[in-house]
């Protein structure tokens, strides 16, 4: 019997799903999903991974039907006016058909059946904006050092959760959605405070995005330094003077006030990024000086431009992976640091603590326990795993961060060999494969040695892409890191096949998007992967007097659009947004 089954046949599977639930598998509305751990099809080091239950979201009212509402197929935020540009409802992004890896055949719409559907979040960058290790003073060198909108990152993430909860399944195939995957940089400063906010935003609960003094904000936005936008003050800072940023009374008090996340109503999985693993997103972890500064009572807020350029040029070239030059800079500037309230919650988290926090029952939400990570990951000190997406599809989550330092990534030889074993096993079992990582193929050029595995070779993005293209089960490699929408075909070296690399924009920089991905069998020798971009549930229009949770989420988007240094190219082209990606599979 064919492994492909229509969503309309799901009801006939009820007894089978009930049996699977009783025997420990995780029942999803449209398939089976549970973490297989770092060993996947093989035994892993340490305790064997066990199936873990995930609470399925309640099935939407039947029958489902294709739709556009709540997606960028209906409308996209667009600017109006001049100066500080306000956002409103803009024209939709139409769907583009891409046939580089397989030609479209007529009549496929009536033949196709859904295999899987899920949502990708990436680069949420939930930011502790008062953290002493932040390098906002490098703003003139890189727009990512400080953004006017980032104090509202938690409100923005919660609004994205609300958008997903309101979706009526998958827009094209009408399949119920299986899960949400976050593809890394869930946090910004590798801080425990940010990790707790991220896990609570995803799984549900109350969040107070504030550290240090519980009574008021103490960071660069009330420092009196004109380099930064001071929303509550009459100061004629550079953002107000040169970019017409508004005065928004009460902004900072609202930004650090408690808000509530409903949590996703779908199971969700997690993939690690460089900002989750490395202080500053680029320095090798474990440095005692940086850890002490993170929780301490001094913060550097300004730096001469020439000094800043030298330090950032060094970071870009990968010349300071251990942060030695960064530490020397901080020590030399000690007398220029400003007092802040010390806070232990700002401490960097270790890989073990990252795993343990995901496995904490307090953060289970709709499941699964660990959100992909298992006790086997703890035992083997790994952050990669496989999980079943549906009857026909396996997911593989990779750890592309390099513990040796720098913001680009790679894979160690051990993980690469593990990946190839999973691909071979999937082929044997007749499964399709979707691979998830933080880094893109083009940003895996950091082959620096992992200090915990001396002598182990590191492997770059082109080598990974070639490996995936050689294995027919691979349909897609889904990632982030670049903060830009980009979809790239990777053909097989011989014959049909290959896979699509799907990179999605971040949720901290405009256009602040997530992506729905659907997989369908056209029953004509081709598969279709549908990608549909979504914005958060916040309205496009803003009101500077509305400092509610929803109002802040809307302002988060508008400030991001107007942020100096923001790039209009991050939306990508039409072929990188809402698409149908054809793929021949034998």
């Amino acid at each position: 019997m064919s492994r492909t089954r229509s969503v309309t046949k799901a009801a006939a599977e009820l007894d089978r799903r009930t049996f699977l639930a009783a025997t420990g598998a995780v029942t999803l509305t449209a398939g089976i999903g549970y973490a297989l751990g770092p060993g996947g099809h093989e035994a892993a080091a340490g305790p064997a991974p066990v199936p873990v239950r995930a609470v399925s979201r309640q099935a939407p009212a039947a029958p489902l039907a294709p739709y556009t509402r709540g997606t960028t197929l209906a409308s996209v935020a667009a600017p109006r006016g001049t100066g500080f540009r306000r956002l409103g409802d803009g024209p939709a992004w139409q769907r583009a058909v891409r046939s580089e890896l397989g030609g479209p055949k007529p009549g496929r719409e009536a033949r196709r059946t859904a295999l899987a559907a899920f949502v990708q979040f990436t680069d949420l960058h939930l930011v502790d904006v008062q953290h002493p290790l932040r390098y906002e003073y490098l703003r003139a060198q890189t727009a990512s050092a400080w953004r006017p909108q980032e104090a509202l990152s938690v409100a923005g993430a919660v609004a994205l959760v609300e958008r997903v909860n309101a979706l009526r399944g998958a827009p094209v195939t009408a399949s119920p959605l299986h899960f949400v995957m976050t593809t890394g940089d869930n946090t910004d400063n590798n801080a425990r405070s940010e990790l707790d906010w991220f896990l609570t935003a995803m799984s549900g609960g109350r969040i107070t995005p504030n550290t240090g003094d519980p009574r008021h904000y103490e960071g660069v936005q009330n420092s009196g330094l004109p380099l930064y936008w001071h929303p509550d003050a009459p100061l004629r800072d550079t953002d107000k003077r040169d970019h017409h940023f508004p005065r928004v009374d009460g902004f900072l008090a609202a930004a650090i006030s408690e808000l509530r996340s409903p949590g996703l109503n779908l199971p969700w999985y997690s993939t690690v990024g460089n900002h989750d693993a490395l202080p500053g997103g680029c320095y090798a972890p474990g440095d005692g000086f940086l850890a002490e500064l993170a929780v301490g009572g001094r913060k550097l807020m300004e730096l001469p431009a020439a000094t800043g350029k030298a330090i950032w040029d060094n970071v870009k070239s990968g010349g300071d992976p251990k942060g030695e030059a960064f530490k020397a800079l901080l020590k030399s500037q000690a007398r220029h640091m400003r007092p802040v309230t010390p806070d232990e919650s700002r401490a960097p988290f270790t890989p073990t603590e990252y795993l343990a926090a995901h496995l904490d029952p307090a953060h289970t939400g709709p499941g699964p326990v660990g959100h992909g990570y298992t006790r086997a990951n703890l035992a083997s000190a790994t952050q990669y795993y496989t999980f079943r997406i549906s009857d026909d599809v396996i997911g593989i989550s990779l750890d592309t961060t390099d513990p040796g330092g720098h913001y680009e990534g790679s894979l160690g030889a051990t993980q690469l060999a593990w990946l190839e074993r999973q691909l071979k096993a999937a082929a044997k079992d007749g499964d399709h494969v979707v691979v998830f990582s933080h880094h893109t193929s083009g940003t895996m050029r950091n082959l620096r040695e992992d200090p915990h595995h001396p002598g182990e070779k590191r492997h770059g993005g082109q080598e990974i892409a070639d490996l995936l293209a050689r294995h027919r089960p691979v349909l897609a490699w889904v990632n982030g890191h670049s903060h830009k929408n980009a979809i790239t075909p990777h053909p097989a070296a011989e014959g049909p096949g290959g896979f699509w690399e799907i990179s999605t924009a971040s949720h901290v920089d405009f256009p602040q998007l997530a992506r729905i991905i659907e997989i369908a069998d056209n029953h004509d020798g081709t598969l279709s992967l549908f990608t549909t971009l979504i914005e958060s549930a916040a309205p496009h229009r803003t009101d500077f007097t509305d400092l509610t949770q929803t109002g802040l989420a809307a302002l988060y988007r508008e400030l991001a659009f107007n942020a100096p240094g923001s790039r209009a190219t991050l939306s990508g082209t039409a072929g990188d947004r809402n698409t149908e990606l054809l793929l021949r599979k034998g």
Side-chain angles (χ1 to χ4, degrees):
M1 183 177 69
S2 170
R3 294 177 56 81
T4 304
R5 65 184 179 91
S6 170
V7 174
T8 60
K9 298 177 183 177
E13 295 282 313
L14 179 60
D15 289 342
R16 177 176 181 274
R17 294 206 303 267
T18 302
F19 168 77
L20 286 165
T23 56
V26 182
T27 302
L28 297 179
T29 307
I32 310 155
Y34 57 94
L36 302 176
H41 295 270
E42 304 171 355
V50 296
V52 288
R53 293 186 183 276
V55 179
S56 172
R57 82 175 198 167
Q58 186 175 2
L64 292 172
Y67 67 94
T68 61
R69 184 176 180 182
T71 76
T72 57
L73 292 164
S75 180
V76 183
R80 304 178 179 195
T82 58
F84 183 91
R85 303 183 73 183
R86 311 303 298 274
L87 297 181
D89 299 334
W93 289 337
Q94 301 304 311
R95 192 174 303 283
V97 177
R98 294 189 57 176
S99 57
E100 294 99 313
L101 299 181
K105 298 183 180 180
R108 65 190 183 284
E109 296 85 356
R111 291 189 303 270
R112 73 169 57 110
T113 53
L115 301 182
F118 59 90
V119 182
Q120 179 202 10
F121 289 0
T122 195
D123 296 84
L124 294 172
H125 284 278
L126 297 192
V127 186
D128 178 355
V129 292
Q130 301 168 88
H131 197 286
L133 275 185
R134 300 210 65 220
Y135 38 78
E136 299 104 329
Y137 43 81
L138 297 180
R139 183 188 185 191
Q141 282 68 51
T142 171
S144 63
W146 182 78
R147 305 168 174 93
Q149 73 272 17
E150 60 193 15
L152 306 180
S153 60
V154 176
V158 170
L160 186 59
V161 167
E162 292 171 339
R163 167 63 71 208
V164 171
N165 288 351
L167 295 173
R168 292 191 67 252
V172 178
T173 64
S175 165
L177 297 169
H178 287 68
F179 64 95
V180 173
M181 169 62 84
T182 71
T183 51
D185 282 4
N186 308 309
T187 65
D188 191 66
N189 302 305
N190 175 234
R192 293 175 187 170
S193 53
E194 297 169 341
L195 181 58
D196 182 70
W197 301 345
F198 161 68
L199 293 168
T200 305
M202 297 291 284
S203 292
R206 297 185 180 278
I207 307 169
T208 301
N210 183 32
T211 57
D213 192 323
R215 298 165 299 177
H216 62 82
Y217 167 94
E218 45 183 11
V220 299
Q221 287 190 267
N222 66 356
S223 65
L225 296 170
L227 178 61
Y228 311 105
W229 177 50
H230 285 56
D232 293 271
L235 177 70
R236 190 69 172 165
D237 57 64
T238 55
D239 288 301
K240 290 175 185 160
R241 184 192 67 218
D242 299 339
H243 305 287
H244 310 287
F245 267 59
R247 179 168 177 175
V248 183
D249 291 325
F251 177 95
L252 292 176
I256 62 173
S257 296
E258 182 185 84
L259 43 76
R260 184 167 187 352
S261 173
L264 287 163
N265 59 11
L266 291 172
W268 64 272
Y269 293 83
S270 188
T271 294
V272 66
N274 55 292
H275 276 266
D276 303 314
L278 310 177
C282 58
Y283 296 121
D287 185 274
F289 174 82
L290 296 181
E292 285 295 320
L293 191 67
V295 301
R298 306 288 289 176
K299 177 175 171 63
L300 184 63
M301 299 188 186
E302 58 182 326
L303 193 70
T307 306
K309 183 179 186 307
I311 198 77
W312 185 246
D313 286 348
N314 199 13
V315 168
K316 285 193 299 181
S317 67
D320 189 28
K322 294 183 179 180
E324 296 298 335
F326 184 51
K327 287 192 295 180
L329 168 73
L330 293 171
K331 291 175 182 178
S332 72
Q333 296 291 319
R335 70 180 184 275
H336 300 297
M337 291 184 178
R338 299 191 180 198
V340 294
T341 303
D343 192 333
E344 289 292 330
S345 76
R346 292 170 172 157
F349 53 82
T350 66
T352 297
E353 290 169 334
Y354 186 74
L355 293 170
H358 281 76
L359 287 159
D360 187 339
H363 297 306
T364 298
V369 173
H371 304 290
Y373 302 118
T374 68
R375 290 184 178 87
N377 287 112
L378 275 173
S380 59
T382 57
Q383 295 188 81
Y384 48 88
Y385 59 90
T386 65
F387 66 107
R388 181 158 288 283
I389 292 174
S390 69
D391 288 342
D392 305 278
V393 186
I394 287 286
I396 300 178
S397 173
L398 301 177
D399 174 8
T400 57
T401 63
D402 192 330
H406 194 49
Y407 52 78
E408 290 203 343
S410 56
L411 289 187
T414 300
Q415 186 178 176
L416 182 67
W418 170 88
L419 171 61
E420 186 157 22
R421 292 196 297 273
Q422 308 316 307
L423 298 177
K424 290 178 178 178
K428 181 179 178 181
D429 293 344
D431 285 315
H432 300 299
V433 173
V434 178
V435 176
F436 300 92
S437 73
H438 177 63
H439 292 90
T440 67
S441 63
T443 57
M444 292 179 66
R445 297 168 294 195
N446 175 19
L447 306 182
R448 187 171 284 107
E449 184 179 86
D450 179 350
H452 302 292
H453 297 90
E456 182 183 54
K457 184 179 179 181
R458 303 290 295 187
H459 300 268
Q462 187 58 59
E463 189 174 354
I464 308 307
D466 292 343
L467 172 67
L468 298 181
R470 289 198 302 269
H471 287 80
R472 297 287 293 279
V474 179
L475 306 181
W477 181 4
V478 179
N479 50 44
H481 186 68
S482 63
H483 292 211
K484 180 178 180 179
N485 291 321
I487 297 179
T488 306
H490 291 272
E494 297 181 3
F499 69 92
W500 290 96
E501 183 173 0
I502 302 170
S503 307
T504 302
S506 78
H507 206 255
V508 67
D509 292 316
F510 190 85
Q512 295 184 340
L513 301 169
R515 198 187 294 264
I516 305 168
I517 298 175
E518 307 170 62
I519 305 169
D521 190 334
N522 295 320
H523 298 287
D524 57 11
T526 69
L527 300 173
S528 288
L529 279 65
F530 296 97
T531 72
T532 306
L533 292 164
I534 56 173
E535 299 171 298
S536 81
H540 292 155
R541 295 179 184 275
T542 64
D543 179 347
F544 294 153
T545 67
D546 179 7
L547 300 182
T548 64
Q549 185 172 317
T550 298
L552 292 174
L555 189 55
Y556 182 55
R557 184 191 293 124
E558 189 166 278
L559 291 170
F561 176 82
N562 286 279
S566 63
R567 292 176 288 159
T569 58
L570 297 181
S571 294
T573 67
D576 303 311
R577 301 171 187 165
N578 300 328
T579 66
E580 179 184 3
L581 310 174
L582 275 296
L583 190 64
R584 283 195 297 155
K585 285 290 176 180

